[in-house]
Structure formats: structure tokens, C-alpha cells
């Protein structure tokens, strides 16, 4: 997860730059997040997401 932090922050900034204020996002990181062991599913998700972000396309995720 830590290796993807910069990508997430950049994507959140770009998203927040283009949407109304009520939709803006600012990722909050939990202490010790960088120390987590790699999660296979998460790593695969970011590998899939990387080309989408680099091509300046959007992806909406609902949590």
C-alpha cells in the first residue's frame, strides 16, 4: 500500500480539482499503514488501476 500512496494522493487531488466541493476527497492515512504486509488483491487492483490513472481517466469507487 505504501508504494501506491503517491498515486492515490495524486488521483484524489485531480478528482477534487474537478468536482463540486461536497465531493472533494482528501485521503487520510492511519498511523503504521506503511508497515502492513502486502495484500495480493490490493496489489492486483493497483496494477489494474495504474494505466487508468496514467491515461487521465476517472474511476468512481463507492465505499
Amino acid at each position: 500500500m505504501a508504494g501506491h500512496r503517491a498515486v492515490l494522493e495524486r488521483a484524489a487531488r485531480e478528482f477534487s480539482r474537478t468536482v463540486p466541493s461536497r465531493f472533494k476527497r482528501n485521503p487520510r492515512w492511519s498511523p503504521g499503514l506503511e508497515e502492513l504486509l502486502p495484500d495480493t488483491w490490493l496489489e492486483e487492483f493497483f496494477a489494474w488501476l495504474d494505466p487508468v490513472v496514467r491515461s487521465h481517466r476517472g474511476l468512481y469507487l463507492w465505499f
Side-chain angles (χ1 to χ4, degrees):
M1 177 79 171
H4 304 289
R5 185 175 181 165
V7 173
L8 288 172
E9 289 173 344
R10 187 172 55 244
R13 260 193 319 275
E14 285 299 311
F15 175 80
S16 293
R17 186 178 63 78
T18 60
V19 297
S21 61
R22 69 177 188 244
F23 298 112
K24 294 185 185 303
R25 296 292 177 252
N26 183 15
R28 291 185 178 86
W29 308 104
S30 299
L33 185 64
E34 287 81 10
E35 298 171 5
L36 294 175
L37 295 174
D39 181 309
T40 304
W41 180 90
L42 195 58
E43 294 299 322
E44 289 173 3
F45 171 75
F46 282 118
W48 172 81
L49 182 63
D50 188 56
V52 175
V53 173
R54 291 184 190 281
S55 67
H56 302 283
R57 293 187 186 132
L59 177 68
Y60 291 97
L61 300 175
W62 295 97
F63 293 93

